[in-house]
Amino acid sequence: MKKISVVAAFGLLLFAALSYADEGVHWTYEGHAGAKHWGDLEKDYATCKLGKHQSPIDIETGKVKTADSDPIKLAYNGAKADVINTGHSVQVEPVDGGALTVDGVEYKLVQFHFHTPSEEKINGKHHAMVAHLVHKSADGKLAVIAVLFDLGRENGTLQPIFASLPAKAGDKHPLDGTINVSGLIPANHASFMFEGSLTTPPCSEEVHWIVMKTPMTISSRQLDAFKKLYPMNARPTQPTNGRVVQAGR
Ligand SMILES: [Zn+2]
């Protein structure tokens, strides 16, 4: 009996140590470990305060420049996925869910997750929620598509996820059926494009951002289900420091 509890205690300790290593230093959105302090929490987070191309930003539509780049190409498919409560959001990780091509570079879909309110502002205003679809190229570069959500009709693509959100940090379950993220993206691909960063520690830069201009909708019931877990998980907007936002097609 005693032996078993020692083994169990050791297992628990190991699990705690591994989760700690995986998550890095504890951070939050408000309070002592909140967004204002991320850059001071540990050395690896310094970019959060020193970076000059940080995200999110407030997009002033009057200052957006026309881009001469090719339209983005989206090629998504239905895929099995895991749904994970990361302790900072709910994240969905599809297996081979498709890819995005921008400026001739292909980025494979890795995961998507949610923030409320939207981290991005458009002319000073938040939307109710945003989904960040994170893509990675073969050489490790990141491109994120942000889809803004307003309250309205229930979102059918999100329903299987939002109907049973993993309740506690660390909880993970396979999604019932498959998910095709093309159902999350507005039919009109007009976007705002700019260079930015991850919006969570370590705030790494060189992320290509594509914020869809046309918002999608979620029902208040769907938003409430998410807010029960995360009432506020948006980093404040960051200075643009002369960055130009381009209009993507
Ligand atoms: Zn995000």
Side-chain angles (χ1 to χ4, degrees):
M1 193 68 184
K2 203 169 182 183
K3 197 170 166 190
I4 290 170
S5 61
V6 168
V7 170
F10 180 73
L12 209 68
L13 206 69
L14 191 70
F15 176 76
L18 286 173
S19 337
Y20 183 80
D22 191 40
E23 270 294 302
V25 165
H26 176 71
W27 57 268
T28 54
Y29 282 95
E30 290 163 308
H32 295 305
K36 270 183 258 161
H37 309 292
W38 289 349
D40 300 311
L41 293 176
E42 78 149 301
K43 208 171 63 216
D44 289 351
Y45 297 176
T47 308
C48 300
K49 69 171 177 183
L50 301 177
K52 295 288 180 231
H53 290 171
Q54 289 290 291
S55 291
I57 60 169
D58 182 356
I59 297 165
E60 294 176 69
T61 55
K63 293 186 180 172
V64 171
K65 299 270 185 289
T66 310
D68 50 10
S69 54
D70 291 335
I72 58 169
K73 284 196 203 101
L74 303 177
Y76 298 118
N77 48 266
K80 287 188 190 303
D82 282 326
V83 185
I84 300 147
N85 185 325
T86 64
H88 302 292
S89 184
V90 172
Q91 183 163 303
V92 184
E93 299 181 354
V95 180
D96 294 330
L100 150 76
T101 303
V102 47
D103 290 332
V105 180
E106 188 188 71
Y107 299 78
K108 287 202 160 67
L109 178 67
V110 182
Q111 50 99 339
F112 61 96
H113 59 266
F114 309 93
H115 302 269
T116 186
S118 72
E119 296 198 297
E120 302 75 6
K121 284 182 184 170
I122 311 288
N123 297 324
K125 288 201 184 111
H126 289 287
H127 288 254
M129 189 179 85
V130 67
H132 286 160
L133 288 77
V134 180
H135 303 70
K136 204 175 205 174
S137 69
D139 61 354
K141 291 206 173 69
L142 294 176
V144 182
I145 295 182
V147 180
L148 302 162
F149 290 86
D150 290 328
L151 285 180
R153 284 177 57 145
E154 179 179 277
N155 189 293
T157 307
L158 290 182
Q159 193 48 23
I161 302 163
F162 278 49
S164 64
L165 291 167
K168 293 194 305 293
D171 284 359
K172 171 177 174 173
H173 63 247
L175 184 72
D176 212 8
T178 59
I179 180 130
N180 187 333
V181 299
S182 59
L184 295 181
I185 303 209
N188 183 339
H189 293 167
S191 67
F192 302 112
M193 290 201 203
F194 52 93
E195 298 309 314
S197 72
L198 300 180
T199 66
T200 56
C203 308
S204 319
E205 296 191 335
E206 293 190 55
V207 177
H208 185 76
W209 280 90
I210 302 165
V211 178
M212 290 288 161
K213 278 187 190 175
T214 311
M216 300 289 276
T217 64
I218 45 163
S219 67
S220 53
R221 204 168 60 162
Q222 289 181 310
L223 184 63
D224 288 349
F226 184 81
K227 278 191 164 178
K228 253 186 209 154
L229 305 182
Y230 294 105
M232 201 298 282
N233 65 338
R235 185 189 195 192
T237 51
Q238 305 293 307
T240 54
N241 294 318
R243 272 176 287 174
V244 174
V245 177
Q246 298 197 321
R249 297 175 284 159

